[in-house]
Amino acid sequence: MSSKRVVVMGGTDGMGRAVALDRLGRGHEVVIVGRDDGKGAAFLDLAARRGASGRAHFVRADLSLVAGTRAAITEIRALFPAVDALVLCARHYRSTRAVTDEGVEENFALFYLSRYVASHEMADLLDAAEEPVIVNVAGPDAPAGAIRWHDLELEHGYDATAALMHGGPLNDLLGAGYADDPPSRKVRYALLNPGTVSTSFSGEYDPATAALIEEVKASAMPVEEGIEPVLALLDRPPAEPISAWARHEPIPLTGPTFDVAAARRLRAETERLLTTLPRHDRRRFVMSGVSAERLREVLDSPIFATVATIQPDGTPQQSVVWVDRDGDDVLFMVGVGSRKERNLRRDPRVSVLVCPPEAPYGYAAIRGRAMFEPALSGRLRDDLTLKYVACRTPSTSRGRRRPRRATSSPYGSSPSGRPDGSDRASAVVVAGSAGAARTTGGAPARRKLPGVTDLAGALRRASYEVLPFTGTEAAVVAHVPTDVPLTVSTSHARGPEPTVDLAVRLTGHGYSVAPHLAARQIRGTTHLSDLVARLRDAGVDSAFVIGGDAPEPAGPFADAFALLVALDDLGHPFQRIGVAGYPEGHAGIATDLLDEALEKKAPYATHVITQICFDAGATVGWARQVRERGVDLPVRVGLPGVVSRQKLVRISAGLGLGQSARFLLKQQSMFWRFFLPGGYHPGRLVGRLAPHLHGPATHLDGFHFFTFNEVESTEAWRRSVLARLT
């Protein structure tokens, strides 16, 4: 094997250091780049003790500075005439917002901008190599969220985890742009999500987050395992100009984070930014107020607003309301005959104050003139109810005083218990307020949402998934009504027996239970017959049939279809059989194969339950395509219940190290959602999906909540929403 020249940006610690040491051990020449002299010296000392002193180099540079990255590139040019591999690892978590000496937000500067500069300005060195590759360890396939084009450096409403996660889609677009307009056509650009690795938590954390991170580290995969996909890409660069990987599995280059037009836009924004550096007038901390685009995001969330009107004597009158947005119009409800209505009819001047919950010192005071639109009242009432009632959990208001009945009315509260003391209400439009001004000439066009009854019915029919752990049975019996259908999950590490055991016991308590039967766990026909006999003897009449994630099948059933056929040969022992759907695909199975598999399984099944997908649009689009291909099974949408991130950590830790690493990789899209501003609430996703329930084009039939054994909080949320809806 010929010696290669490898550069590792962010190589003084963690995965970068481990990759550098591995390459040295294989006889390659390595440069690591970092800002810590002590860590650099320790690396060189270790390399010398391993007999690689002439092949190990340390370049000191602050990669959060463009000038620092460029200085490092200059030193690398003096060391290497060509670079075979560039590994990009540098990133650093900051609980509080900070700005570099060049005037750039530090997360953006280190996690994105340094990688852009290194990728592009080292192109000639890479082009001089025979088979060059860039491995960008960034996190494709993680929850991306929308690119904040109006605020790339998060000056408005900064949140540490959101800032770090924002770098993921930026780097995806960096890779897409590199392939679209390549500085070198020889370079292969690979975006890699290595999973949750124990060393991947460089940062400055607040105490609460630091404690949680320590728990995550304990169950994350060791760095030696974490770097395996990096080494594989370095040893065998992909043939494609750009590729994306979740560890060793390819990720489809689809969706907004790989959109070429967006990549070109980001490249233009980046090049423009580079011409402005250094910027000495940038504010170091978060600016007060919100931008127009951010204000629209805030108004679209279930935020409480304060409406101020003018009393006859000129004094202000204020009340808390629910608000909605139509374009740039702000809408809220007032009770007919209420003080607020009388004030606005006399003097239509109004102020609406909103404050992003994740940035309590930022606010927007929206001022305008109110218009009454009684024709909108019915639709707006339903819209507001779906938006607020379905999007709030019992824990949302802990520690806050809450006005009586404030969460059960779209309009505010009153001593009588009726909206603003009246049984009648009217919609109010504050025209052209949420951003650029726009005046409406009448009732704004609004999307049609279903009635409250549709959502209530779907929540009444909701089903729960539970894990077969110690204490699950007691928790279910204590908190879940027997009319809630259950599924019991399985894992290849524990086999099917704990799943069947729990399903039998819960059936004895009066529940309708569908155990997961994983094809790759079944040792043969006799094993299957024994499991089925035990389930049927206990009165279990449902099953959820999956392929399973065992690396190798334990018997003759390699996939769910094979197991479905075998069950049919046994006389079709279950009245209801569910199969899995994958709205966002599967990391290990091509999309066309998933489509074919679902079509083959459909004749043996009674319904589909989807895997977790946080994108309502993707779920609806997938369901529509499934229906168009002739699969007319009802679809239950899978989404997390009310689950705490601490619970996910505890579940992961309880699985054992190897299984824990697989769990974190499989569930990391959900896990990191819980760090984002406001965390995760099922109601937000429920509200987005509700308009599409029972539509003939999709066959979306209801909700299936993955509780991760948080059955008490999930059931409390479901009951509270139903109470408010009814």
Side-chain angles (χ1 to χ4, degrees), residues 190 270 272 542 566:
T270 305
R272 181 195 59 76
S542 302

Side-chain angles (χ1 to χ4, degrees), residues 9 18 60 64 68 110 155 193 205 245 255 316 333 335 346 408 416 449 451 476 520 579 609 667 674 681 689 703:
M9 297 285 192
R60 185 190 181 283
S64 69
L110 182 62
E155 289 186 274
N193 184 342
Y205 298 95
W245 305 81
M333 301 284 287
R346 189 190 68 260
S408 62
S416 69
L449 292 181
V476 170
R520 298 168 80 85
V579 293
I609 297 177
Q667 303 296 344
F674 290 76
H681 297 308
L689 290 163
F703 303 116

Side-chain angles (χ1 to χ4, degrees), residues 197-341:
V197 183
S198 59
T199 61
S200 300
F201 298 96
S202 169
E204 299 170 21
Y205 298 95
D206 60 75
T209 304
L212 181 60
I213 289 299
E214 289 305 313
E215 292 190 65
V216 176
K217 286 182 181 180
S219 56
M221 73 182 77
V223 68
E224 295 78 12
E225 182 181 350
I227 65 171
E228 288 175 358
V230 181
L231 305 181
L233 290 168
L234 295 179
D235 291 337
R236 296 176 298 279
E240 302 81 12
I242 178 176
S243 59
W245 305 81
R247 290 199 55 80
H248 299 284
E249 302 296 336
I251 298 171
L253 301 178
T254 57
T257 61
F258 295 103
D259 180 70
V260 172
R264 292 171 180 169
R265 178 180 178 182
L266 181 60
R267 183 170 62 238
E269 291 281 347
T270 305
E271 291 295 337
R272 181 195 59 76
L273 168 63
L274 290 173
T275 64
T276 68
L277 300 182
R279 303 180 301 188
H280 298 301
D281 60 339
R282 306 296 284 187
R283 299 183 62 163
R284 186 166 181 79
F285 301 105
V286 182
M287 295 172 63
S288 60
V290 292
S291 65
E293 189 167 345
R294 174 59 180 147
L295 176 56
R296 296 183 186 104
E297 295 175 1
V298 171
L299 289 168
D300 288 341
S301 67
I303 188 172
F304 292 113
T306 301
V307 167
T309 62
I310 302 172
Q311 300 270 45
D313 62 2
T315 59
Q317 184 264 348
Q318 295 176 300
S319 55
V320 176
V321 299
W322 294 353
V323 291
D324 203 0
R325 180 178 69 86
D326 185 81
D328 286 330
D329 295 342
V330 177
L331 299 92
F332 59 91
M333 301 284 287
V334 297
V336 174
S338 67
R339 169 59 63 188
K340 191 157 58 252
E341 189 228 14

Side-chain angles (χ1 to χ4, degrees), residues 393-401 713:
T393 70
S395 63
T396 304
S397 56
R398 287 175 188 162
R400 304 176 189 171
R401 291 195 55 161
S713 56

Side-chain angles (χ1 to χ4, degrees), residues 5 249 285 304 470 474 511 555 581 594 659 698 714:
R5 300 178 177 92
E249 302 296 336
F285 301 105
F304 292 113
T470 302
Y511 293 94
L594 288 173
Q659 182 71 3
T698 61
T714 298

